[in-house]
Amino acid sequence: MAEEQMEEASTAGAAATPFQLQFDKPIPFQIKMAEWNPEKDLLAMVTDDSKVVLHRFNWQRLWTISPGKCITSICWSPDGKIVALGTEDGLVLLHDVENGKMLRRIKSHDVAIVCLNWAEDELLSRTDKDGLLSYEDRTARFFPPAPVIPRIGGLSSGDTGLADENEESIQEFSSASCQRFNILCSGDKGGCICFSIFGIFPVGKININEVPIHFQSSGNKTSYWLQDASISKVCLSGNLHQLVLLCPGKLIDIDNLSHSNHISTGLHCLHLDTSIFFNRKNELHQISQQASSIQDLVEVVRSSLSMMAKQWSSAMNLFNEKFSALPSLIAAHGMESSSEDEFMSLLFGTRTSPALHQFLVSSLGEAALKRIAKAVDSAGRELRVVVSEHLQPAVEIISFRLAELRGLARWRSRFQNVGLDEKLIYGVTEKIGMLVVQVERFSRVAATVLYLFQNFFSWVLKCVKILLSEPTDQVPAANSELVVLFLKFLLDKDPIKQLLDANQRFECDLDTVRHLEQLVVLGGFTDTHFLEKTLMKQFNELDESLEEAFSMPFTTISSQIHCQELLPLYPITSSVDLSSTCILTSVSFYKQDEDSQNSGSSYSLTDYICFKIPDGSLNLKNCIGVIKDFSNSSASGPSSSGFLLHIPDEYECVDVSLYKDSQIVVLLSERSYSDGPGSSYIVMLQMENFSFVPLSRMFPSNIYSVQELSALELQLDTDYGKKVRSIPHAVSTPLAVSASRGVACVFSSRRHALVYILDEDEDEDEDESSDME
């Protein structure tokens, strides 16, 4: 998709009448999820068969992709350039908005990812739009652009988690220096929440089922935990201090585990303290920038080694297939010599044996020998290309970036608190140094092997030509030393294959070992046996060391995320499968008015939580609840407050969504008792026009403080600072609302998409739709 189309999409509909039906378009599929792009008028939709469709505001389809997996959640990156998809098998798929191509495939969870939230550091975007980094990534000053995954001769390098068909997008996506600090949060139905900086570098994970929840009441401290919890919604605040999540589960008293009855089974709201992200965002930014680039380059190295092994193995299989016939012929003629002995006899002028003559003239032949020589030469050229253009540059840049990380790790006062361990980074630095040596060693060995192969094939070809032209014992002249080296070291051995095999080991003589130990000690390294290791073995050791070093920030950050508050919202029937319960919720943060102009280092946010209460729960029917200031509650006194809103009995709440400026959009559908099409309403409410009642926190004697609230009646013909739009069709989930673009998309049960402008009151007499063809 061209950038001009993007800009045109961002201005489409600007002149339309506010809160008017912009268009009503038929759609050929059933939609189960939909999200507006935060920066452009683009709507991403997930169909029932897990296709992802991107439409412009005028309903022009831009692309459709089929990830091949069941999509269970969707969200956009803060800059609108990437759409993130959560799958049933725990993958996060990141796709480019321009063309739908996959940029990353990250295994973050073991079960279905049911919610995603991608939050950006709003403070940075508000006060420092130009200075996005506190330090310079110096790699570009010393190195050309990073290499990409090799593709030669149609061979696939394997599953790397990267989209090798879109290298330019990968390079741009990997460059964290041009991004504001942001974190992708993903929650699964098993109760786990993962945090990834820039969506690609895992920096933390917590399991709600294992997080203790402490309450202080009347001087007594009581601890609880949630059991069988399933994350329903996550929302990270723009200042990165708080995470509000909703999850159904069973609330268990830790101090009374012997009791068979749990306290509550229902929907619970939790506030997690994630201030570590704000307090250490500069350190985390630097670590994630270097670490994510290193991880990308490690995949380039892995793919390069895999490609090299495949290319060389293919050529050697052809060589061995043809030359393996010689030992059989020798045995068939009743001889006890080896293949090496026969070629040595031919080289030094001894009479050609019948077995070798038959092999060269009949079994091998000139055409087959040329084919083998061409295959080996082609594999050799491709090895040189992969090493020079992919493997060696990747290893060198990894070495430089690890040196940068080592420098950061020595700044203990800043980086030790986020898990950058100096000792581990030093060990990884040594591993990459050894890998640089191994790559150079491989290049020299490969060059020697290919030269010996070339000389051997040339000599054998001359022999075959002479033997085919006339029977003779005359042998063509050759560089006997090179042929001898080939026969001794390459006829039955394969040094290149050995170097690309992690299970091989090389023997070194004692003098070499002693000399090497002296050199290694003088150089400050501890590995005195690296000559015994293969290139692949050295890479595997580097990979393991990197995994250990990068797991430290992950573990350290995870341990510093704590549960601050819990608010049970409503009970759920215990017979219901909590992980499969359909829950209508919406969570958002808004800046407090008195702090909106504050340019200090931090600012306050007010959280709003909106949820539909199942009929019968809390003895209520057809109600939605709204809670605010949950994450701002303190032990000194209750600050959470809320209200309940009763929907007219003839309608049911289909979906709810928080909107900008503390507004809420409610989608209502008429309860149909006939075969008619039914009707619906889209209602926007200004929450400041409702009276928020403080919630008591007498836990656990009063578990569900929400039931203390009196339900207000929603009258569609009464003003609550609301806007109401009648829809002459029954509607279904989802309701897609964009606060940044001021639009809402509603899907009718007759498979139509209706897009509304939400910004201002509409003319009630006007009930026309305009089709944008």
mmCIF file with all atom_site columns, all heavy atoms in Angstrom, residues 277-292:
data_model
loop_
_atom_site.group_PDB
_atom_site.id
_atom_site.type_symbol
_atom_site.label_atom_id
_atom_site.label_alt_id
_atom_site.label_comp_id
_atom_site.label_asym_id
_atom_site.label_entity_id
_atom_site.label_seq_id
_atom_site.pdbx_PDB_ins_code
_atom_site.Cartn_x
_atom_site.Cartn_y
_atom_site.Cartn_z
_atom_site.occupancy
_atom_site.B_iso_or_equiv
_atom_site.pdbx_formal_charge
_atom_site.auth_seq_id
_atom_site.auth_comp_id
_atom_site.auth_asym_id
_atom_site.auth_atom_id
_atom_site.pdbx_PDB_model_num
ATOM 1   N N   . PHE A 1 277 ? 8.758  -0.070 34.871 1.00 0.00 ? 277 PHE A N   1
ATOM 2   C CA  . PHE A 1 277 ? 8.885  0.303  33.457 1.00 0.00 ? 277 PHE A CA  1
ATOM 3   C C   . PHE A 1 277 ? 9.148  1.796  33.302 1.00 0.00 ? 277 PHE A C   1
ATOM 4   O O   . PHE A 1 277 ? 9.939  2.209  32.456 1.00 0.00 ? 277 PHE A O   1
ATOM 5   C CB  . PHE A 1 277 ? 7.616  -0.077 32.686 1.00 0.00 ? 277 PHE A CB  1
ATOM 6   C CG  . PHE A 1 277 ? 7.388  -1.548 32.584 1.00 0.00 ? 277 PHE A CG  1
ATOM 7   C CD1 . PHE A 1 277 ? 6.129  -2.090 32.786 1.00 0.00 ? 277 PHE A CD1 1
ATOM 8   C CD2 . PHE A 1 277 ? 8.423  -2.410 32.298 1.00 0.00 ? 277 PHE A CD2 1
ATOM 9   C CE1 . PHE A 1 277 ? 5.907  -3.452 32.693 1.00 0.00 ? 277 PHE A CE1 1
ATOM 10  C CE2 . PHE A 1 277 ? 8.223  -3.784 32.207 1.00 0.00 ? 277 PHE A CE2 1
ATOM 11  C CZ  . PHE A 1 277 ? 6.959  -4.300 32.404 1.00 0.00 ? 277 PHE A CZ  1
ATOM 12  N N   . PHE A 1 278 ? 8.489  2.613  34.129 1.00 0.00 ? 278 PHE A N   1
ATOM 13  C CA  . PHE A 1 278 ? 8.702  4.055  34.056 1.00 0.00 ? 278 PHE A CA  1
ATOM 14  C C   . PHE A 1 278 ? 10.040 4.437  34.682 1.00 0.00 ? 278 PHE A C   1
ATOM 15  O O   . PHE A 1 278 ? 10.814 5.211  34.109 1.00 0.00 ? 278 PHE A O   1
ATOM 16  C CB  . PHE A 1 278 ? 7.576  4.801  34.765 1.00 0.00 ? 278 PHE A CB  1
ATOM 17  C CG  . PHE A 1 278 ? 7.787  6.280  34.848 1.00 0.00 ? 278 PHE A CG  1
ATOM 18  C CD1 . PHE A 1 278 ? 7.483  7.100  33.777 1.00 0.00 ? 278 PHE A CD1 1
ATOM 19  C CD2 . PHE A 1 278 ? 8.308  6.854  35.999 1.00 0.00 ? 278 PHE A CD2 1
ATOM 20  C CE1 . PHE A 1 278 ? 7.701  8.470  33.843 1.00 0.00 ? 278 PHE A CE1 1
ATOM 21  C CE2 . PHE A 1 278 ? 8.521  8.214  36.078 1.00 0.00 ? 278 PHE A CE2 1
ATOM 22  C CZ  . PHE A 1 278 ? 8.221  9.026  34.999 1.00 0.00 ? 278 PHE A CZ  1
ATOM 23  N N   . ASN A 1 279 ? 10.318 3.888  35.845 1.00 0.00 ? 279 ASN A N   1
ATOM 24  C CA  . ASN A 1 279 ? 11.527 4.282  36.565 1.00 0.00 ? 279 ASN A CA  1
ATOM 25  C C   . ASN A 1 279 ? 12.792 3.875  35.830 1.00 0.00 ? 279 ASN A C   1
ATOM 26  O O   . ASN A 1 279 ? 13.833 4.547  35.972 1.00 0.00 ? 279 ASN A O   1
ATOM 27  C CB  . ASN A 1 279 ? 11.529 3.658  37.968 1.00 0.00 ? 279 ASN A CB  1
ATOM 28  C CG  . ASN A 1 279 ? 10.379 4.155  38.818 1.00 0.00 ? 279 ASN A CG  1
ATOM 29  O OD1 . ASN A 1 279 ? 9.887  5.269  38.622 1.00 0.00 ? 279 ASN A OD1 1
ATOM 30  N ND2 . ASN A 1 279 ? 9.924  3.334  39.760 1.00 0.00 ? 279 ASN A ND2 1
ATOM 31  N N   . ARG A 1 280 ? 12.737 2.792  35.068 1.00 0.00 ? 280 ARG A N   1
ATOM 32  C CA  . ARG A 1 280 ? 13.939 2.292  34.390 1.00 0.00 ? 280 ARG A CA  1
ATOM 33  C C   . ARG A 1 280 ? 13.758 2.240  32.878 1.00 0.00 ? 280 ARG A C   1
ATOM 34  O O   . ARG A 1 280 ? 14.384 1.425  32.206 1.00 0.00 ? 280 ARG A O   1
ATOM 35  C CB  . ARG A 1 280 ? 14.260 0.884  34.913 1.00 0.00 ? 280 ARG A CB  1
ATOM 36  C CG  . ARG A 1 280 ? 14.631 0.847  36.390 1.00 0.00 ? 280 ARG A CG  1
ATOM 37  C CD  . ARG A 1 280 ? 15.930 1.580  36.660 1.00 0.00 ? 280 ARG A CD  1
ATOM 38  N NE  . ARG A 1 280 ? 16.300 1.560  38.066 1.00 0.00 ? 280 ARG A NE  1
ATOM 39  C CZ  . ARG A 1 280 ? 17.417 2.090  38.555 1.00 0.00 ? 280 ARG A CZ  1
ATOM 40  N NH1 . ARG A 1 280 ? 18.247 2.705  37.726 1.00 0.00 ? 280 ARG A NH1 1
ATOM 41  N NH2 . ARG A 1 280 ? 17.672 2.036  39.840 1.00 0.00 ? 280 ARG A NH2 1
ATOM 42  N N   . LYS A 1 281 ? 12.933 3.135  32.352 1.00 0.00 ? 281 LYS A N   1
ATOM 43  C CA  . LYS A 1 281 ? 12.638 3.051  30.918 1.00 0.00 ? 281 LYS A CA  1
ATOM 44  C C   . LYS A 1 281 ? 13.870 3.359  30.066 1.00 0.00 ? 281 LYS A C   1
ATOM 45  O O   . LYS A 1 281 ? 14.055 2.771  28.995 1.00 0.00 ? 281 LYS A O   1
ATOM 46  C CB  . LYS A 1 281 ? 11.485 3.984  30.554 1.00 0.00 ? 281 LYS A CB  1
ATOM 47  C CG  . LYS A 1 281 ? 11.736 5.452  30.795 1.00 0.00 ? 281 LYS A CG  1
ATOM 48  C CD  . LYS A 1 281 ? 10.502 6.263  30.461 1.00 0.00 ? 281 LYS A CD  1
ATOM 49  C CE  . LYS A 1 281 ? 10.703 7.738  30.789 1.00 0.00 ? 281 LYS A CE  1
ATOM 50  N NZ  . LYS A 1 281 ? 9.483  8.522  30.520 1.00 0.00 ? 281 LYS A NZ  1
ATOM 51  N N   . ASN A 1 282 ? 14.739 4.266  30.527 1.00 0.00 ? 282 ASN A N   1
ATOM 52  C CA  . ASN A 1 282 ? 15.942 4.568  29.735 1.00 0.00 ? 282 ASN A CA  1
ATOM 53  C C   . ASN A 1 282 ? 16.869 3.359  29.680 1.00 0.00 ? 282 ASN A C   1
ATOM 54  O O   . ASN A 1 282 ? 17.411 3.019  28.616 1.00 0.00 ? 282 ASN A O   1
ATOM 55  C CB  . ASN A 1 282 ? 16.676 5.768  30.335 1.00 0.00 ? 282 ASN A CB  1
ATOM 56  C CG  . ASN A 1 282 ? 15.928 7.066  30.136 1.00 0.00 ? 282 ASN A CG  1
ATOM 57  O OD1 . ASN A 1 282 ? 15.177 7.211  29.174 1.00 0.00 ? 282 ASN A OD1 1
ATOM 58  N ND2 . ASN A 1 282 ? 16.096 8.004  31.049 1.00 0.00 ? 282 ASN A ND2 1
ATOM 59  N N   . GLU A 1 283 ? 17.060 2.708  30.829 1.00 0.00 ? 283 GLU A N   1
ATOM 60  C CA  . GLU A 1 283 ? 17.913 1.519  30.855 1.00 0.00 ? 283 GLU A CA  1
ATOM 61  C C   . GLU A 1 283 ? 17.302 0.389  30.026 1.00 0.00 ? 283 GLU A C   1
ATOM 62  O O   . GLU A 1 283 ? 18.001 -0.280 29.242 1.00 0.00 ? 283 GLU A O   1
ATOM 63  C CB  . GLU A 1 283 ? 18.122 1.052  32.304 1.00 0.00 ? 283 GLU A CB  1
ATOM 64  C CG  . GLU A 1 283 ? 18.940 1.995  33.157 1.00 0.00 ? 283 GLU A CG  1
ATOM 65  C CD  . GLU A 1 283 ? 18.098 3.082  33.805 1.00 0.00 ? 283 GLU A CD  1
ATOM 66  O OE1 . GLU A 1 283 ? 16.932 3.262  33.389 1.00 0.00 ? 283 GLU A OE1 1
ATOM 67  O OE2 . GLU A 1 283 ? 18.609 3.760  34.715 1.00 0.00 ? 283 GLU A OE2 1
ATOM 68  N N   . LEU A 1 284 ? 15.997 0.187  30.199 1.00 0.00 ? 284 LEU A N   1
ATOM 69  C CA  . LEU A 1 284 ? 15.333 -0.872 29.447 1.00 0.00 ? 284 LEU A CA  1
ATOM 70  C C   . LEU A 1 284 ? 15.344 -0.587 27.953 1.00 0.00 ? 284 LEU A C   1
ATOM 71  O O   . LEU A 1 284 ? 15.454 -1.505 27.133 1.00 0.00 ? 284 LEU A O   1
ATOM 72  C CB  . LEU A 1 284 ? 13.896 -1.036 29.944 1.00 0.00 ? 284 LEU A CB  1
ATOM 73  C CG  . LEU A 1 284 ? 13.740 -1.592 31.363 1.00 0.00 ? 284 LEU A CG  1
ATOM 74  C CD1 . LEU A 1 284 ? 12.288 -1.546 31.806 1.00 0.00 ? 284 LEU A CD1 1
ATOM 75  C CD2 . LEU A 1 284 ? 14.275 -3.014 31.443 1.00 0.00 ? 284 LEU A CD2 1
ATOM 76  N N   . HIS A 1 285 ? 15.231 0.694  27.602 1.00 0.00 ? 285 HIS A N   1
ATOM 77  C CA  . HIS A 1 285 ? 15.284 1.073  26.189 1.00 0.00 ? 285 HIS A CA  1
ATOM 78  C C   . HIS A 1 285 ? 16.627 0.686  25.583 1.00 0.00 ? 285 HIS A C   1
ATOM 79  O O   . HIS A 1 285 ? 16.697 0.078  24.505 1.00 0.00 ? 285 HIS A O   1
ATOM 80  C CB  . HIS A 1 285 ? 15.058 2.582  26.072 1.00 0.00 ? 285 HIS A CB  1
ATOM 81  C CG  . HIS A 1 285 ? 14.755 3.036  24.679 1.00 0.00 ? 285 HIS A CG  1
ATOM 82  N ND1 . HIS A 1 285 ? 13.958 4.111  24.405 1.00 0.00 ? 285 HIS A ND1 1
ATOM 83  C CD2 . HIS A 1 285 ? 15.125 2.567  23.460 1.00 0.00 ? 285 HIS A CD2 1
ATOM 84  C CE1 . HIS A 1 285 ? 13.852 4.286  23.096 1.00 0.00 ? 285 HIS A CE1 1
ATOM 85  N NE2 . HIS A 1 285 ? 14.566 3.358  22.516 1.00 0.00 ? 285 HIS A NE2 1
ATOM 86  N N   . GLN A 1 286 ? 17.690 1.008  26.294 1.00 0.00 ? 286 GLN A N   1
ATOM 87  C CA  . GLN A 1 286 ? 19.024 0.706  25.767 1.00 0.00 ? 286 GLN A CA  1
ATOM 88  C C   . GLN A 1 286 ? 19.272 -0.792 25.684 1.00 0.00 ? 286 GLN A C   1
ATOM 89  O O   . GLN A 1 286 ? 19.797 -1.297 24.682 1.00 0.00 ? 286 GLN A O   1
ATOM 90  C CB  . GLN A 1 286 ? 20.078 1.378  26.655 1.00 0.00 ? 286 GLN A CB  1
ATOM 91  C CG  . GLN A 1 286 ? 20.007 2.896  26.649 1.00 0.00 ? 286 GLN A CG  1
ATOM 92  C CD  . GLN A 1 286 ? 20.999 3.521  27.615 1.00 0.00 ? 286 GLN A CD  1
ATOM 93  O OE1 . GLN A 1 286 ? 22.188 3.242  27.568 1.00 0.00 ? 286 GLN A OE1 1
ATOM 94  N NE2 . GLN A 1 286 ? 20.500 4.360  28.515 1.00 0.00 ? 286 GLN A NE2 1
ATOM 95  N N   . ILE A 1 287 ? 18.888 -1.510 26.728 1.00 0.00 ? 287 ILE A N   1
ATOM 96  C CA  . ILE A 1 287 ? 19.101 -2.964 26.721 1.00 0.00 ? 287 ILE A CA  1
ATOM 97  C C   . ILE A 1 287 ? 18.299 -3.616 25.608 1.00 0.00 ? 287 ILE A C   1
ATOM 98  O O   . ILE A 1 287 ? 18.815 -4.454 24.852 1.00 0.00 ? 287 ILE A O   1
ATOM 99  C CB  . ILE A 1 287 ? 18.712 -3.561 28.089 1.00 0.00 ? 287 ILE A CB  1
ATOM 100 C CG1 . ILE A 1 287 ? 19.670 -3.088 29.174 1.00 0.00 ? 287 ILE A CG1 1
ATOM 101 C CG2 . ILE A 1 287 ? 18.708 -5.083 28.023 1.00 0.00 ? 287 ILE A CG2 1
ATOM 102 C CD1 . ILE A 1 287 ? 19.249 -3.494 30.576 1.00 0.00 ? 287 ILE A CD1 1
ATOM 103 N N   . SER A 1 288 ? 17.022 -3.248 25.502 1.00 0.00 ? 288 SER A N   1
ATOM 104 C CA  . SER A 1 288 ? 16.168 -3.894 24.502 1.00 0.00 ? 288 SER A CA  1
ATOM 105 C C   . SER A 1 288 ? 16.613 -3.566 23.087 1.00 0.00 ? 288 SER A C   1
ATOM 106 O O   . SER A 1 288 ? 16.511 -4.408 22.193 1.00 0.00 ? 288 SER A O   1
ATOM 107 C CB  . SER A 1 288 ? 14.710 -3.476 24.706 1.00 0.00 ? 288 SER A CB  1
ATOM 108 O OG  . SER A 1 288 ? 14.567 -2.074 24.553 1.00 0.00 ? 288 SER A OG  1
ATOM 109 N N   . GLN A 1 289 ? 17.121 -2.350 22.875 1.00 0.00 ? 289 GLN A N   1
ATOM 110 C CA  . GLN A 1 289 ? 17.594 -1.999 21.532 1.00 0.00 ? 289 GLN A CA  1
ATOM 111 C C   . GLN A 1 289 ? 18.751 -2.892 21.121 1.00 0.00 ? 289 GLN A C   1
ATOM 112 O O   . GLN A 1 289 ? 18.780 -3.447 20.018 1.00 0.00 ? 289 GLN A O   1
ATOM 113 C CB  . GLN A 1 289 ? 18.014 -0.538 21.481 1.00 0.00 ? 289 GLN A CB  1
ATOM 114 C CG  . GLN A 1 289 ? 18.612 -0.153 20.121 1.00 0.00 ? 289 GLN A CG  1
ATOM 115 C CD  . GLN A 1 289 ? 18.895 1.322  20.010 1.00 0.00 ? 289 GLN A CD  1
ATOM 116 O OE1 . GLN A 1 289 ? 18.369 2.111  20.773 1.00 0.00 ? 289 GLN A OE1 1
ATOM 117 N NE2 . GLN A 1 289 ? 19.717 1.697  19.060 1.00 0.00 ? 289 GLN A NE2 1
ATOM 118 N N   . GLN A 1 290 ? 19.729 -3.039 22.010 1.00 0.00 ? 290 GLN A N   1
ATOM 119 C CA  . GLN A 1 290 ? 20.876 -3.875 21.682 1.00 0.00 ? 290 GLN A CA  1
ATOM 120 C C   . GLN A 1 290 ? 20.481 -5.351 21.643 1.00 0.00 ? 290 GLN A C   1
ATOM 121 O O   . GLN A 1 290 ? 20.849 -6.073 20.712 1.00 0.00 ? 290 GLN A O   1
ATOM 122 C CB  . GLN A 1 290 ? 21.992 -3.660 22.723 1.00 0.00 ? 290 GLN A CB  1
ATOM 123 C CG  . GLN A 1 290 ? 22.553 -2.258 22.783 1.00 0.00 ? 290 GLN A CG  1
ATOM 124 C CD  . GLN A 1 290 ? 23.365 -1.895 21.549 1.00 0.00 ? 290 GLN A CD  1
ATOM 125 O OE1 . GLN A 1 290 ? 23.534 -2.706 20.638 1.00 0.00 ? 290 GLN A OE1 1
ATOM 126 N NE2 . GLN A 1 290 ? 23.862 -0.666 21.503 1.00 0.00 ? 290 GLN A NE2 1
ATOM 127 N N   . ALA A 1 291 ? 19.713 -5.794 22.641 1.00 0.00 ? 291 ALA A N   1
ATOM 128 C CA  . ALA A 1 291 ? 19.391 -7.219 22.739 1.00 0.00 ? 291 ALA A CA  1
ATOM 129 C C   . ALA A 1 291 ? 18.507 -7.688 21.591 1.00 0.00 ? 291 ALA A C   1
ATOM 130 O O   . ALA A 1 291 ? 18.713 -8.775 21.040 1.00 0.00 ? 291 ALA A O   1
ATOM 131 C CB  . ALA A 1 291 ? 18.712 -7.510 24.078 1.00 0.00 ? 291 ALA A CB  1
ATOM 132 N N   . SER A 1 292 ? 17.513 -6.884 21.196 1.00 0.00 ? 292 SER A N   1
ATOM 133 C CA  . SER A 1 292 ? 16.638 -7.294 20.100 1.00 0.00 ? 292 SER A CA  1
ATOM 134 C C   . SER A 1 292 ? 17.406 -7.360 18.790 1.00 0.00 ? 292 SER A C   1
ATOM 135 O O   . SER A 1 292 ? 17.182 -8.263 17.977 1.00 0.00 ? 292 SER A O   1
ATOM 136 C CB  . SER A 1 292 ? 15.448 -6.342 19.982 1.00 0.00 ? 292 SER A CB  1
ATOM 137 O OG  . SER A 1 292 ? 15.876 -5.011 19.752 1.00 0.00 ? 292 SER A OG  1
#
